[in-house]
Amino acid sequence: MLTKITTLTLSCLAAIGFSAACAAEGSYNVNQINIPKKPEFMASLGIAKDAKPDLTKDQKTQLAGKAYHEKADQHFMSVHAQKGVSCNTCHDPRSLDGVTWMAVVNKPVIRQTCQDCHTVQADVFAHTDTHDKLDCIACHMPNVASAADYSTDQKAAGPKALRRIHTYKILVDPKASSMVEGKVKVGKDDTGKDDTAKGYVMAKDEDGNGYVDLMWSCARNTPADYTVFEGKGCHNAATSKLDEGLIYQDQKEVYGETLKWQTPIKEGYKEIAGAIPRMRKLLEVTRLSPADQTDARLLLDKADQIAAMIKKDGSWGMHAQNYLLDQVKTAQAYLAKAQQIMDKGGYNKIATK
């Protein structure tokens, strides 16, 4: 944990549900930050729990602008932006006075939540038996270091510049990092052109979109993420209070655990999705009674609905592994029953793999 921080420079916390003041050009005393009802987080930064914000209007405007532009840049690297989702789609800017919501941690009114659009994912996640205390943003919008204050040392007790990342997509890759080294603007040279220096910038996937890497999603090292596991933290060795078997040392280990969840769902889906069209074609030439034809088609439809749900959810088990595995087995049972009916027509059993 961070024991004492006297200033924050070019840093801030800002989120859908939580936002905090940050320094714009220069620095200011962190005792001006107030996080209501989160004394454990205040203590982690060495801030008195009864500290009060004391920022001028100009400071608030600067802080809000810097935080807003960084999150907007991230958002416009996402599929959400491509689909027409804007800041105001989710946030209500009229719910708080001016930019004050960017200067202290609070909860501005949310117009829409993730579940409002991602209904299938919400239905699947409602069946989770491992992360039922979390919500979507805990994993898809973790508190991540600002690029200006980013560090690759995931075992350290957390960078000081934190805000909820607005790229949403989790990239399952053992090597991918949300931040990569690149050129960042540091001002203007004597001719008025942009002056650049080495620094960290947001990474992009093969489609040109930003993403959340596995380490930040599952094993982030930030003491600011008090929202996860009721104060026990995520799966990072530096900050986690989980059982030893649930603590991951690096992203490769996170990737290995992810595959354990996803592989059986992906394999089951592939088997089901491949069998259904073949069995439908066979039904067209199979001699069955109308009643048997109807029963077989209903079973195929049920299996098809499960396959469509698994594909639409897109987590391949991460949202609710046991539930989706049960759904795979149910779909396989539907196909086996349909095959039994079709065998009455005198045809050999069709392999489903």
Side-chain angles (χ1 to χ4, degrees), residues 154 171 173-178 213-216 248-256:
Q154 277 283 0
L171 183 61
D173 186 306
K175 297 181 180 180
S177 175
S178 298
D213 63 48
L214 283 174
M215 201 68 181
W216 279 108
Y248 308 141
Q249 300 301 316
D250 52 39
Q251 186 158 292
K252 184 178 180 180
E253 190 172 356
V254 178
Y255 178 73

Side-chain angles (χ1 to χ4, degrees), residues 12-30:
C12 75
L13 277 108
I16 279 183
F18 310 95
S19 54
C22 65
E25 302 300 331
S27 61
Y28 68 95
N29 195 311
V30 293

Side-chain angles (χ1 to χ4, degrees), residues 6-309:
T6 56
T7 60
L8 291 177
T9 303
L10 294 174
S11 61
C12 75
L13 277 108
I16 279 183
F18 310 95
S19 54
C22 65
E25 302 300 331
S27 61
Y28 68 95
N29 195 311
V30 293
N31 287 334
Q32 293 171 327
I33 297 178
N34 180 35
I35 305 176
K37 300 181 181 179
K38 292 298 176 184
E40 71 277 14
F41 175 56
M42 299 288 282
S44 77
L45 296 178
I47 304 171
K49 65 180 180 180
D50 58 350
K52 302 296 181 183
D54 183 20
L55 300 174
T56 66
K57 183 177 180 180
D58 287 343
Q59 284 176 315
K60 291 176 181 178
T61 301
Q62 285 183 316
L63 304 181
K66 190 168 273 291
Y68 167 80
H69 286 301
E70 180 175 275
K71 290 184 293 180
D73 288 345
Q74 294 172 358
H75 176 78
F76 286 112
M77 293 171 64
S78 73
V79 174
H80 285 77
Q82 296 170 14
K83 298 293 185 180
V85 177
S86 69
C87 303
N88 290 348
T89 302
C90 302
H91 297 277
D92 184 357
R94 300 168 300 176
S95 63
L96 294 167
D97 182 26
V99 298
T100 57
W101 73 277
M102 301 296 289
V104 295
V105 171
N106 48 41
K107 193 170 184 178
V109 172
I110 301 298
R111 284 176 164 168
Q112 291 191 94
T113 65
C114 307
Q115 297 92 324
D116 290 329
C117 294
H118 300 282
T119 55
V120 173
Q121 290 84 351
D123 289 342
V124 171
F125 188 74
H127 293 86
T128 187
D129 52 9
T130 53
H131 295 90
D132 59 312
K133 302 297 183 183
L134 304 183
D135 59 12
C136 307
I137 65 173
C139 301
H140 287 270
M141 297 182 67
N143 283 313
V144 176
S146 166
D149 197 51
Y150 188 75
S151 170
T152 57
D153 185 4
Q154 277 283 0
K155 294 182 180 180
K160 61 186 178 182
L162 307 167
R163 65 200 70 175
R164 286 206 181 277
I165 194 169
H166 281 61
T167 49
Y168 320 110
K169 172 187 175 181
I170 299 172
L171 183 61
V172 179
D173 186 306
K175 297 181 180 180
S177 175
S178 298
M179 300 279 185
V180 294
E181 286 190 346
K183 291 183 178 180
V184 296
K185 294 180 182 179
V186 294
K188 300 284 187 180
D189 61 20
D190 295 338
T191 64
K193 295 182 179 179
D194 289 334
D195 210 358
T196 61
K198 266 191 175 183
Y200 283 98
V201 297
M202 293 297 302
K204 296 181 180 180
D205 63 15
E206 58 185 11
D207 296 320
N209 300 319
Y211 57 83
V212 182
D213 63 48
L214 283 174
M215 201 68 181
W216 279 108
S217 179
C218 302
R220 81 292 299 270
N221 61 350
T222 55
D225 252 338
Y226 47 75
T227 60
V228 294
F229 272 96
E230 299 179 320
K232 291 186 177 180
C234 282
H235 303 275
N236 187 280
T239 58
S240 180
K241 296 179 182 178
L242 298 171
D243 294 338
E244 185 176 353
L246 296 174
I247 296 176
Y248 308 141
Q249 300 301 316
D250 52 39
Q251 186 158 292
K252 184 178 180 180
E253 190 172 356
V254 178
Y255 178 73
E257 293 298 314
T258 301
L259 289 188
K260 290 179 184 179
W261 285 35
Q262 290 189 331
T263 299
I265 307 301
K266 285 185 175 182
E267 290 179 347
Y269 170 82
K270 183 179 179 180
E271 177 184 333
I272 297 163
I276 292 172
R278 291 197 297 270
M279 294 177 72
R280 288 194 190 282
K281 288 181 179 179
L282 186 57
L283 265 177
E284 295 175 1
V285 295
T286 301
R287 294 179 180 178
L288 294 174
S289 68
D292 284 343
Q293 276 274 355
T294 299
D295 287 344
R297 292 188 186 282
L298 286 174
L299 289 166
L300 290 177
D301 286 345
K302 289 181 178 179
D304 202 10
Q305 289 171 4
I306 291 176
M309 178 269 290

